[in-house]
Structures are given as structure tokens and as C-alpha cells.
Amino acid sequence: MPLIPAPLYRGLLRPILFSLDPEVAHHLTLSMLSMMPPLPVAPDPPELHSSLWGMEFSNPIGLAAGMDKDAIAIGAWQSLGFGFAELGTITPRPQPGNPKPRVFRLPEHHALINRLGFPSEGMEAVAPRIERARRGATRIRLALNFGPNKDTPAEQVAADYTVLMTRLAPLADFIVINVSSPNTPGLRNWQSPERMRELFGGVSGAHPPMLLKVAPDLDEPTLDLLCDTAIELRLDGMVVCNTTVKREEVGVTSTETGGLSGSPLRDLARTRIATVYRRTQGKLPIIGVGGIMNAEDALGHIKAGASLIELYTGLIYEGPGLITSMKKSLTNLLRREGFRSISEAVGSAART
Ligand SMILES: Cc1cc2nc3c(=O)[nH]c(=O)nc-3n(C[C@H](O)[C@H](O)[C@H](O)COP(=O)(O)O)c2cc1C
């Protein structure tokens, strides 16, 4: 799979996959990836290396949450060249998610709409897979993304996150607390200072770095408040951002409900990344995600303030060779723009 060049993917494989229902295509691809033997990956150029939270990242490109919710293809993400993979959203108990159909392609926009609602095999199914990968040849960083079960009453949601932390935190390089999916009723209400204090105030003892994933649909004052609260609660970073419920504002006309991802999200995500970077004065590492389809998009998010970036929809439209080609182009772009490393480029747009 990783050796499939972009023209072959666009000309042959993508039309076949796009003739199938999006979720069927997703599961087919994922099971093929899960069976792939580990492939040797060329070392990343030194310009792409970075160090965050005392950890080395061989390159800044990560798999965004949602692609490998149940951690079944960990080895493949390394073989495709990612520097890290965010697995999940993982819920405490297994749950089926929303009724189908619940994923829709918008090919003319290079976008997707999904209202999956956290289908998850649950943390007990996922844990042994991560343990196995850790014992095996997996060297890339693994982030785990946590969400509550749909039928968990509001007053128990914080307890769901605690249960996930207790069971899975020891297996994670870092943790992403997802309070920004538009597809679990009430979840986005947790994006408030009071609720954040409730969620994170009880976390004590040693744990891996903990990040908050936010929606692009928060207005700027609310986002500013969340940044202040994240600093107050000593969170380790923010993932900016999840899918959007906006349509016309981002140039899309579709009546399907759910979260929109892909190209139309890019500029909105970048604006939110810049807001978080400015408000936190670069003190809180940001993972920039939303609408990245190529190296220029990635560097744009980095220059706006992201220390690492992630993508999902880009992989659907550009194929598995995207990561290798992005790393090459990103290295060239950095050199051309006079940056000796990713960290030199982080937030450089905010300083000009
Ligand atoms: C089909 C699909 C499922 C997703 N599932 C999750 C999820 O379970 N948890 C989460 O935090 N984000 C989820 N996301 C959001 C992505 O992680 C990412 O934030 C968003 O798609 C924007 O990035 P992109 O434009 O590169 O796709 C999902 C996205 C898609 C397209």
C-alpha cells in the first residue's frame, strides 16, 4: 500500500474505493492495512525531527483520530511513514455508534461528512492490541483519544474519562481528551472552563501528557477562555481542531448532518490554531489538524502555531503514498524558506 504512487491511487484505486459505500471502503482498507507486514521506512531528514514533552518525534505528521478507532492497524501507520498515530476515539464500553449511513463523501470539495457517533470496541478490546504493538516493532509515538459512552448520563461523563485514564494511560505516549465531536449529544458542552475544571481537576499523580481536542466552531472569546483554563489546569497541549458543523461559511452546501472534514476546513482550522498560539503565547504545544492535503497545507498550520500536525481526510483523497511525498516536500519547503527545523517554523506567521 505505501508504495502506491499518487497517480496510481487517483487513477485506479480511488475510483474503486469510491464506488463502494464510504464505511465499507474504510473497513476494507483498514483490514488490508492491518494485515500488512511491517515495511522498512527510510530515516526522516533531521529537519523534520522535533522534541516535545521530552519525547522525540521523527517527523511531525500524525494520523488523526477516527481512522483507527480500535487500534487494529498500528504497524501500518509506521510503515506509511507517520511520526505518530492518534488511536480512538476509544470509549470505556463497546458501543455501535449511530445508525447507518453515517459517512458521506463530498468529492467536489475533497471533504467528508461523518456522524459516526464513536463506534468503539471499547477499552478492554483495544488495550491488548496496543500492548502487543509496544512489545513488537512499533517505534512511532502512539496517542490515545478518549471519549465517553453515548448512554453515560451527564453527571457520569467525567467518571468515563477517569476510567479510560486508569486503564489506558500507561499505554499512551500522550492522551487526547475529546470533548469536541459533534456526534455525541451534549459532548461539546464540556468545552467550558467549569466543565474543564470538573474533568481535569481530579487528575492526579504521574500521567502522560494530556491534551484537549477542541471544535473549530467555538467563537474566539470562548476559545480564549479555554486556552486560559488549559494553562490554569496545566494541560500539556491542545489539538486544534475537530470537524465543523458549519456549511455555507466554509463554502459547502450539503444537508447531511454531522462533522465536516477536509479541504473546506483548512482555513478555519488555521485561524483557530493562530488564536490558540497567540493566546497561549506559544507556551502550550498545538497539534494542528483540519484540511491538510499536502505539504504546503501542513507548513501553513505549523507557521500558524502547530508543533505537530495530523490528517485524516487527505489520506482518503490522496492515498497512502501521501505521507512519504509530504515529508519530502515539507523538507524542501523548509529549506527554501530558510528554516533549519520544524521548531523554527512553529508560529513564525504570528511573529511577522
Ligand atoms: C470519518 C471520521 C471519523 C472521525 N472520528 C473521530 C473520532 O473518533 N475522534 C476524534 O477526535 N476525531 C475524529 N475525527 C476528526 C479528525 O480526527 C480530524 O479532527 C478532522 O477530520 C479534521 O482533519 P482532516 O480534515 O484532516 O480530516 C473523525 C473524522 C472523520 C472524517
Side-chain angles (χ1 to χ4, degrees):
M1 288 288 277
L3 305 175
I4 296 170
L8 188 62
Y9 179 77
R10 287 198 204 113
L12 188 67
L13 197 56
R14 189 171 73 182
I16 296 172
L17 288 171
F18 277 27
S19 70
L20 304 171
D21 167 79
E23 224 180 314
V24 171
H26 172 78
H27 287 297
L28 188 70
T29 312
L30 207 57
S31 54
M32 271 158 51
L33 287 170
S34 71
M35 289 185 285
M36 198 169 87
L39 294 174
V41 185
D44 289 323
E47 288 96 328
L48 296 189
H49 290 205
S50 59
S51 177
L52 266 182
W53 310 298
M55 270 180 259
E56 298 301 315
F57 288 78
S58 157
N59 74 71
I61 307 172
L63 177 76
M67 175 71 88
D68 193 3
K69 288 173 183 281
D70 295 312
I72 67 166
I74 298 175
W77 310 125
Q78 175 165 305
S79 297
L80 294 191
F82 283 105
F84 66 106
E86 188 178 325
L87 308 167
T89 292
I90 307 163
T91 58
R93 289 168 286 113
Q95 65 176 28
N98 290 329
K100 295 175 183 174
R102 52 192 187 173
V103 185
F104 308 89
R105 296 187 195 96
L106 283 63
E108 67 282 22
H109 294 294
H110 280 200
L112 297 171
I113 291 176
N114 90 83
R115 48 172 182 268
L116 287 163
F118 296 165
S120 172
E121 290 183 36
M123 65 181 187
E124 291 305 338
V126 171
R129 294 177 190 149
I130 302 166
E131 281 159 358
R132 208 172 315 126
R134 292 276 185 213
R135 285 195 302 271
T138 302
R139 297 289 165 265
I140 58 167
R141 299 288 166 197
L142 297 178
L144 303 184
N145 175 308
F146 296 162
N149 279 109
K150 188 180 179 180
D151 59 1
T152 298
E155 62 279 9
Q156 293 293 325
V157 164
D160 266 12
Y161 287 108
T162 310
V163 163
L164 287 157
M165 280 292 287
T166 309
R167 179 70 180 94
L168 295 177
L171 302 177
D173 286 313
F174 61 97
I175 286 163
V176 179
I177 301 294
N178 180 11
V179 286
S180 47
S181 165
N183 303 313
T184 296
L187 187 67
R188 286 182 161 198
N189 297 339
W190 289 85
Q191 298 177 116
S192 80
E194 301 73 38
R195 294 285 191 92
M196 273 174 70
R197 287 188 193 103
E198 198 182 321
L199 273 190
F200 294 103
V203 178
S204 60
H207 56 76
M210 218 161 38
L211 287 76
L212 184 75
K213 184 166 180 181
V214 295
D217 304 328
L218 298 167
D219 57 29
E220 298 273 321
T222 309
L223 190 55
D224 280 350
L225 257 180
L226 292 193
C227 291
D228 298 349
T229 316
I231 301 258
E232 170 202 317
L233 293 170
R234 298 178 189 277
L235 295 192
D236 299 285
M238 309 245 286
V239 181
V240 188
C241 53
N242 215 313
T243 53
T244 181
V245 295
K246 293 185 199 294
R247 295 291 185 269
E248 288 89 54
E249 296 100 308
V250 293
V252 169
T253 46
S254 169
T255 51
E256 293 296 350
T257 54
L260 175 77
S261 60
S263 284
L265 180 57
R266 186 193 62 188
D267 293 351
L268 179 61
R270 192 165 299 165
T271 307
R272 298 296 184 253
I273 292 165
T275 301
V276 173
Y277 186 79
R278 227 178 294 116
R279 187 71 178 188
T280 59
Q281 299 169 318
K283 287 180 198 140
L284 207 59
I286 298 167
I287 299 183
V289 49
I292 295 177
M293 298 283 155
N294 53 43
E296 286 79 10
D297 294 340
L299 187 57
H301 279 12
I302 290 166
K303 285 159 75 173
S307 295
L308 301 170
I309 58 99
E310 291 179 340
L311 54 89
Y312 181 146
T313 308
L315 213 49
I316 308 295
Y317 283 94
E318 300 301 328
L322 177 64
I323 309 311
T324 308
S325 72
M326 260 180 81
K327 289 196 290 190
K328 205 164 156 214
S329 309
L330 185 57
T331 310
N332 289 337
L333 281 176
L334 284 170
R335 286 180 188 155
R336 199 180 317 148
E337 298 196 20
F339 297 114
R340 280 166 301 178
S341 64
I342 289 288
S343 53
E344 272 191 15
V346 175
S348 58
R351 293 192 288 271
T352 52

